[in-house]
Amino acid sequence: MKIRGTVAAALASAGILLVGWQTGTQVNGISTVASSTTATGTTGAAGTGSAGTGSSGTAGSSGSSSSTGSSSSSGSIGSSGSSAAGTYKGNTVQTRFGPVQVQITVASGKITDITALQLTNTDGKSIQISNRAAPLLRSKVLAAQSANVQTVSGATITSDAYLTSLQAAIDAANL
Amino acid sequence: MNTQLLPSSPGASSSGRPELSSATRPARGWFARQHRQRRLRTDLLTVIAWASVAAAIALWLADGGATNIASPASLFTAAGIVAGLAGMDLVLLMLLLAARIPFIDRTIGHDRALAFHGKLGKPSLYLLLAHGVLLAIGYGMAEGLDPVSESVNLWVEVPDMWLAFVSMALFIAVVVTSLVAVRRRFPYEFWYVVHLLTYAAVATSIPHQFSVGGLFAAGTWQRWYWVAICIYTGTALAYFRILEPVLATVRHQLTVARVETVAPGVVNIVMRGRKLDQLAETGGRFFIWRFLAPGMWWHPHPFSLSAEPVFNGPDGQGTLRVTVRSLGDGSAQLLRLSKGTKVALEGPYGLLSTAARTRNKVVMIGAGIGITPLRALLETTPFAPGGATVLLRGRTEQELYLGNEIFDLCQARGVRLFHLTGPRAHGQPTWLNEDSVRSGYSLTSYVPDIKDADVYVCGPAAWAANVMADAGKAGVPDDQIHHERFDW
């Protein structure tokens, strides 16, 4: 009778593990968002920045992933000190959950967009954390216009690396 | 056999003749069916326990856990995560086993649940240690650090990780103080307080599971599993270990009615209360009692009922009785309990009851104070006349506590009764007295048909182990041996 219980338990466990494994390989994990939030910002911001007109920006590409248009319109004069419009990459910061690197888009002396080139990605959890933290950090930094923002709770490692890389990018842009 | 003696007035028991309740002959096939159902429930519990560990790992796999293994570092990290998940799952299983959930108690009994709880202690600690070590190696390799500096880094840099280190230290403390060799050196109270730290250990481990670990990460399957199992465990502990005992105490409003001397150092504590009809058929099972008097209220006493609850007043009013031998300081105070002392209770627990029966015949073997719960069981458990045998062991007739009550019950219900008194046999491990051993008697001499009976054993641990070994040799299957620890 103990044998019956043990066999049933072993079979059930094996079945559960198999289903889990199958699901895992089919979903193929969760991919990093780093690439998805990228491209739109860079070219778009560069375009509006050089055009220097706010009207097209506001009306135009107000996509969900980048708020470039509205912010660039305010800084349309373009005479903001030494910083030139363009994109600046921060250095790559190594963390235990993977490398982190961000790139900022500057127009008229303002950070108009932040792109995560690399985000913590060693395991499913890190990717989840990155996916959650990156948009939050991005909007916080865009609002504060500096790397001096609070880290995202539950994603401190990612946040710290993100903001370190961001500070390097800001330094490079001479903001 | 010269051991089949009439009791020579063991002590003065004033509780009078035990009243026979409606204990009757068993219905045909009833115990076999009960046995099948209990076996099915046991198998179900086994499956649930294994499957929960498998599910913890499977859900991690389903969330893509294994797809990121690409380097030695990620392999170590993945192994560390799996060890942590399995470890956490085992810790929750241990808490559930100790939560006194009625389904578990009624299926495998309190003692076996706790024995299993104890067996899981070391494996879960090893898994948690492996979790820490493997992750320190894995993370360290990813960052180019050795595991030690990586651990320091984790402590300093990652929020909530210092709590996880504290948690690990607490788990180590809990398991080490529970090792038999260590536990013997300290009083029960010390062990108990350290064991309560388990809750602190689990509590301090949870923050890092949110912030660093993936157990509760949004958008994953794992989240729901862990949320469900954690909430269930917490609720079960709060309900069955705290709320239900408080409700039972309020419900029954027990007070000490009288304390009667049974033998030197042994007393009956009779308690009066209400709604005792709800505790019918609990004779022989144990409750945890707290006598709410100054200096005593914090001391929990696990005592079995030594008689069926008696209730005949309105609202189920009546009396309960436990028989207690003074061992430690705590129970010496019990001899002087004053009338009217309020009593808190938790229970009933354990399988020393009819619920454990698998056969129509029954054998009860008790020693010393362990005789008293058998006295209660003898009162109610169904058997046909001639279908039961009782063996009582004590150094003297005086030590066969409640022996005269048992004699009366045996006479009324048609039970074979043996008194095995006298010194223990020298030289060999035996549960029998010297006379029986010298005469060449064994368990089957007293109970030739023991193979086809349920055997209830109640007495000191070493003695009971010898009884059970003999029963096994006589061909009694494990399922038919029912034992309750009685070396409190």
Side-chain angles (χ1 to χ4, degrees):
Chain A
M1 59 95 208
K2 269 179 190 162
I3 298 164
R4 184 178 70 175
T6 313
V7 169
L11 285 176
S13 306
I16 290 168
L17 281 172
L18 200 68
V19 170
W21 176 268
Q22 278 298 314
T23 320
T25 46
Q26 272 170 21
V27 171
N28 210 12
I30 307 147
S31 57
T32 334
V33 191
S35 53
S36 65
T37 49
T38 322
T40 50
T42 332
T43 50
T48 41
S50 58
T53 53
S55 56
S56 67
T58 38
S61 59
S62 55
S64 59
S65 63
S66 73
S67 55
T68 1
S70 54
S71 59
S72 68
S73 66
S74 58
S76 58
I77 311 302
S79 59
S80 56
S82 55
S83 68
T87 60
Y88 300 89
K89 282 182 185 173
N91 57 335
T92 305
V93 181
Q94 291 292 340
T95 77
R96 61 181 54 81
F97 305 118
V100 173
Q101 187 183 24
V102 299
Q103 173 182 276
I104 57 171
T105 304
V106 175
S108 316
K110 288 204 161 243
I111 304 170
T112 57
D113 193 21
I114 304 157
T115 305
L117 300 176
Q118 295 183 84
L119 278 176
T120 49
N121 62 352
T122 49
D123 54 61
K125 172 63 183 177
S126 305
I127 294 164
Q128 287 149 21
I129 288 180
S130 303
N131 289 353
R132 185 169 57 86
L136 288 172
L137 287 167
R138 181 175 173 279
S139 54
K140 279 186 188 182
V141 170
L142 285 177
Q145 287 293 314
S146 89
N148 194 13
V149 298
Q150 274 204 330
T151 58
V152 175
S153 69
T156 319
I157 291 280
T158 305
S159 300
D160 284 344
Y162 187 100
L163 296 174
T164 307
S165 183
L166 180 83
Q167 188 58 54
I170 291 173
D171 291 346
N174 262 328
L175 281 178
Chain B
M1 285 170 209
N2 61 353
T3 44
Q4 190 167 14
L5 300 170
L6 297 185
S8 59
S9 165
S13 171
S14 58
S15 72
R17 281 184 178 255
E19 288 170 43
L20 269 190
S21 61
S22 58
T24 47
R25 297 169 185 226
R28 184 178 289 272
W30 165 259
F31 289 130
R33 190 159 67 245
Q34 172 172 278
H35 183 211
R36 273 198 303 279
Q37 284 169 356
R38 200 157 71 85
R39 264 186 2 193
L40 208 61
R41 291 203 303 271
T42 311
D43 290 348
L44 182 68
L45 285 178
T46 314
V47 171
I48 289 174
W50 283 51
S52 78
V53 179
I57 298 166
L59 288 169
W60 173 76
L61 288 171
D63 285 325
T67 53
N68 295 293
I69 300 176
S71 61
S74 54
L75 188 65
F76 273 107
T77 305
I81 289 171
V82 168
L85 292 172
M88 177 67 179
D89 201 85
L90 287 190
V91 168
L92 290 174
L93 284 181
M94 288 176 70
L95 288 177
L96 286 172
L97 281 168
R100 302 190 181 137
I101 298 169
F103 183 82
I104 295 177
D105 191 71
R106 169 156 78 76
T107 303
I108 59 173
H110 181 265
D111 285 3
R112 267 177 71 196
L114 281 193
F116 196 47
H117 166 95
K119 264 190 208 161
L120 288 180
K122 275 197 222 166
S124 58
L125 181 66
Y126 293 151
L127 281 169
L128 293 177
L129 286 171
H131 168 65
V133 171
L134 288 169
L135 280 180
I137 295 171
Y139 287 169
M141 283 166 82
E143 273 187 303
L145 287 172
D146 64 278
V148 176
S149 23
E150 176 59 32
S151 301
V152 175
N153 264 10
L154 280 168
W155 174 298
V156 176
E157 278 178 25
V158 186
D160 304 332
M161 275 306 293
W162 69 274
L163 279 172
F165 281 93
V166 170
S167 167
M168 181 68 85
L170 290 173
F171 273 121
I172 293 171
V174 169
V175 174
V176 168
T177 52
S178 296
L179 297 176
V180 179
V182 180
R183 192 175 163 177
R184 270 201 213 113
R185 292 179 193 205
F186 294 101
Y188 171 82
E189 285 76 13
F190 172 80
W191 169 85
Y192 182 75
V193 169
V194 175
H195 225 68
L196 280 183
L197 291 177
T198 310
Y199 297 114
V202 173
T204 47
S205 78
I206 284 182
H208 92 282
Q209 295 171 5
F210 270 100
S211 57
V212 189
L215 276 65
F216 300 101
T220 62
W221 296 99
Q222 294 177 82
R223 175 197 187 90
W224 300 112
Y225 175 75
W226 290 107
V227 164
I229 191 175
C230 284
I231 288 179
Y232 180 72
T233 307
T235 314
L237 282 168
Y239 183 77
F240 293 117
R241 296 212 59 161
I242 300 168
L243 187 61
E244 169 52 32
V246 169
L247 291 177
T249 301
V250 173
R251 184 164 57 231
H252 297 301
Q253 310 229 326
L254 290 175
T255 54
V256 174
R258 59 182 183 274
V259 179
E260 314 161 332
T261 303
V262 172
V266 177
V267 292
N268 281 332
I269 301 174
V270 181
M271 291 165 274
R272 190 178 302 285
R274 58 194 192 90
K275 296 198 172 151
L276 299 186
D277 47 329
Q278 294 176 16
L279 297 179
E281 302 282 311
T282 55
R285 301 182 72 193
F286 77 93
F287 293 75
I288 294 173
W289 311 91
R290 280 170 208 272
F291 297 96
L292 305 178
M296 299 185 70
W297 61 269
W298 56 272
H299 201 325
H301 298 281
F303 297 137
S304 304
L305 292 184
S306 60
E308 253 304 284
V310 179
F311 47 89
N312 34 33
D315 198 23
Q317 280 178 358
T319 56
L320 295 177
R321 189 185 78 177
V322 294
T323 305
V324 178
R325 187 173 55 171
S326 162
L327 293 168
D329 297 341
S331 46
Q333 280 180 303
L334 296 174
L335 307 184
R336 299 185 300 273
L337 267 175
S338 52
K339 190 180 166 182
T341 306
K342 286 194 164 71
V343 187
L345 82 165
E346 302 172 39
Y349 302 127
L351 266 180
L352 208 81
S353 67
T354 302
R357 290 280 298 277
T358 68
R359 291 286 192 280
N360 286 344
K361 289 181 183 169
V362 60
V363 178
M364 299 181 196
I365 310 175
I369 196 71
I371 291 170
T372 62
L374 297 179
R375 142 76 181 82
L377 187 64
L378 185 63
E379 194 178 334
T380 55
T381 201
F383 52 79
T389 309
V390 174
L391 291 99
L392 305 181
R393 173 83 179 95
R395 268 186 295 260
T396 62
E397 287 285 330
Q398 290 279 311
E399 278 188 19
L400 305 180
Y401 308 116
L402 306 181
N404 52 350
E405 290 182 22
I406 290 179
F407 181 82
D408 289 347
L409 279 168
C410 288
Q411 211 166 34
R413 299 198 62 191
V415 179
R416 273 174 296 175
L417 170 67
F418 297 98
H419 284 186
L420 309 171
T421 52
R424 197 182 307 174
H426 285 292
Q428 60 217 49
T430 177
W431 58 278
L432 286 164
N433 55 342
E434 201 174 9
D435 288 351
S436 310
V437 172
R438 202 173 291 147
S439 313
Y441 294 145
S442 68
L443 188 52
T444 41
S445 326
Y446 298 102
V447 202
D449 53 354
I450 193 164
K451 260 201 284 195
D452 193 35
D454 279 304
V455 183
Y456 288 87
V457 183
C458 205
W463 174 88
N466 288 337
V467 178
M468 290 189 285
D470 267 14
K473 268 185 238 155
V476 184
D478 281 351
D479 267 18
Q480 286 166 233
I481 302 178
H482 315 297
H483 167 241
E484 198 119 296
R485 272 181 60 207
F486 219 82
D487 45 1
W488 315 102

